[in-house]
Amino acid sequence: MSDHNTLLTTPLNALHLELGARMVPFAGYSMPVQYPAGLMAEHAHTRNAAGLFDVSHMGQLRLVGPDAAAAFESLMPVDVIGLGVNKQRYGLLLTDEGTIIDDLMFVNRDYANGGDLFVIVNGACKAGDIAHIQARIGQRCEVIPMPERALLALQGPQAVTALQRLVPGVEQLVFMTGGNFEWNDAELYITRSGYTGEDGFEISVHESQADALARALLAEPEVKPIGLGARNSLRLEAGLCLYGNDIDTTTTPVEAALNWALQKVRRTGGERAGGFPGADKVLAQLDASLPLTRKRVGLIAKDRVPVREHVELQNAAGERIGEVTSGLIGPTINQPIAIGYVEPAYAALGTEVNAIVRGKAVAMEVAAMPFVPTRYYRG
């Protein structure tokens, strides 16, 4: 990990320090892991009211030109061409072997009529992602990084109450849609989405106005600042993958149980089947003509022993059958939960496996995800 002297900072760095945040290196940035209230309080506050997250380390870029959707679709196993204006979708950049370079979110901001595809990628991957996209489709559309934009996430059941006071009209958005808004002459692009399993919003704002907007949101009675620690526990309870832990260039979308993200139109027999990197392998896994060697599952422990990443999973006979990729005691569910990969024979719900924690077997059961019901606002 790089030392603090070489770390980048977000436009909210001074605010984090003022709020007493404990800062840690993350994706090359100095980021707040928690504030004085602590992870448990921050997690609960997001589930019950509204939490403000600084996610400005993430990469924002625009794809511009009439061919942008067809070009972008050639890199991913998802339907880009069919996405409506101001609609958002989850996507996966793949290697030529069909493994995951990064997971991302994208919005069609009317690219066909002079707008763009607005893409948000993970912070640790952004330089590589932008280079990859530029190299693969830069001759078909303009690839324009937006390092001058900050990104705030306001998450929780009262996020809409707080945000609509400052930005009237946001309440009309539904899950996975976005729109242009204004606050104090600042141009905002807001989507109703996030990575906590709760209702909420992601707000793209120019870096020069990010601090003022964050302070205005924190002045609302429902809103408190939330660090990366609670962001991780919230997304884990929601059963959502963290790139670098649960998915990476060794995992395919099907092994990662992300089949839901691959629309019918891109699958075997679909109107635009294949034509993405690693398509032969991914489609063969989807069609079950290529058997999987492992599958991502949710796990709940029987005892109150936290089971962390890289812990080995074994069957009753003591044979290795997989590994935990993310794990902690879920603050809402109040039980140890984990995401991991197991051999397909052990992937069925209710299957019992053992996690080996400091040489001792901790009994776990394969469980459905999300561990906590999601509360996205669908209108």
Side-chain angles (χ1 to χ4, degrees):
M1 201 62 94
S2 43
D3 66 40
H4 279 276
N5 304 331
T6 60
L7 291 175
L8 299 166
T9 55
T10 75
L12 300 185
N13 191 61
L15 177 58
H16 298 316
L17 298 174
E18 192 182 304
L19 293 170
R22 183 156 73 79
M23 306 297 282
V24 298
F26 183 78
Y29 283 77
S30 178
M31 297 291 288
V33 69
Q34 62 178 59
Y35 298 88
L39 187 153
M40 299 298 277
E42 291 173 30
H43 182 107
H45 189 81
T46 306
R47 288 269 183 257
N48 298 315
L52 183 68
F53 302 76
D54 179 8
V55 284
S56 302
H57 63 296
M58 296 182 79
Q60 301 179 62
L61 57 147
R62 302 169 58 213
L63 306 180
V64 181
D67 197 28
F72 200 37
E73 190 172 278
S74 73
L75 302 182
M76 303 194 294
V78 303
D79 176 9
V80 185
I81 291 171
L83 189 64
V85 175
N86 283 319
K87 295 274 172 47
Q88 185 175 40
R89 185 162 278 163
Y90 177 79
L92 297 160
L93 284 178
L94 300 187
T95 65
D96 293 327
E97 291 71 51
T99 62
I100 303 168
I101 294 172
D102 199 8
D103 62 339
L104 52 83
M105 300 291 271
F106 65 98
V107 186
N108 173 9
R109 299 198 297 193
D110 208 5
Y111 75 92
N113 293 300
D116 57 33
L117 287 177
F118 172 46
V119 185
I120 298 175
V121 299
N122 283 306
C125 306
K126 67 182 173 186
D129 287 358
I130 292 167
H132 174 80
I133 294 166
Q134 182 67 53
R136 295 283 177 114
I137 63 169
Q139 63 293 349
R140 295 179 60 180
C141 62
E142 278 185 275
V143 180
I144 307 168
M146 298 192 281
E148 74 286 353
R149 302 291 289 184
L151 194 65
L152 310 182
L154 186 67
Q155 299 283 298
Q158 292 173 26
V160 64
T161 310
L163 188 56
Q164 71 181 352
R165 284 193 207 109
L166 301 186
V167 188
V170 293
E171 69 282 358
Q172 289 162 21
L173 294 175
V174 294
F175 182 55
M176 297 295 271
T177 67
N180 289 299
F181 295 88
E182 206 172 276
W183 173 81
N184 277 10
D185 296 331
E187 287 178 24
L188 312 176
Y189 191 81
I190 302 178
T191 59
R192 197 156 192 171
S193 61
Y195 226 59
T196 59
E198 297 294 332
D199 182 24
F201 302 86
E202 293 201 336
I203 308 162
S204 175
V205 55
H206 192 274
E207 60 187 358
S208 62
Q209 287 143 320
D211 182 87
L213 178 58
R215 287 173 192 275
L217 286 165
L218 290 169
E220 296 300 320
E222 300 84 0
V223 184
K224 287 187 174 165
I226 313 292
L228 290 173
R231 184 172 167 83
N232 184 51
S233 56
L234 289 157
R235 71 88 197 167
L236 186 45
E237 286 188 338
L240 298 168
C241 293
L242 176 64
Y243 191 86
N245 280 46
D246 313 304
I247 50 174
D248 57 29
T249 51
T250 69
T251 51
T252 68
V254 186
E255 289 169 347
L258 295 173
N259 305 21
W260 58 268
L262 319 183
Q263 287 76 31
K264 215 165 162 184
V265 68
R266 305 302 309 281
R267 297 181 179 209
T268 305
E271 190 186 324
R272 298 191 306 283
F276 53 86
D280 291 353
K281 180 177 181 180
V282 173
L283 295 179
Q285 287 184 338
L286 259 182
D287 303 337
S289 57
L290 178 63
L292 295 181
T293 56
R294 58 181 182 156
K295 195 169 181 196
R296 183 174 71 95
V297 294
L299 297 159
I300 295 184
K302 308 284 179 83
D303 300 314
R304 255 188 89 77
V305 178
V307 179
R308 311 271 181 208
E309 62 216 56
H310 307 310
V311 163
E312 182 172 310
L313 296 170
Q314 296 181 353
N315 61 15
E319 299 161 328
R320 182 191 170 97
I321 54 159
E323 186 177 302
V324 169
T325 52
S326 290
L328 43 72
I329 293 181
T332 309
I333 187 176
N334 198 24
Q335 277 178 291
I337 55 172
I339 290 174
Y341 283 80
V342 295
E343 292 172 13
Y346 300 90
L349 295 181
T351 304
E352 296 202 359
V353 301
N354 290 321
I356 308 305
V357 180
R358 289 188 291 281
K360 293 203 174 97
V362 176
M364 299 193 91
E365 190 173 284
V366 175
M369 295 185 282
F371 300 103
V372 172
T374 55
R375 297 194 285 187
Y376 306 126
Y377 177 74
R378 299 179 191 272

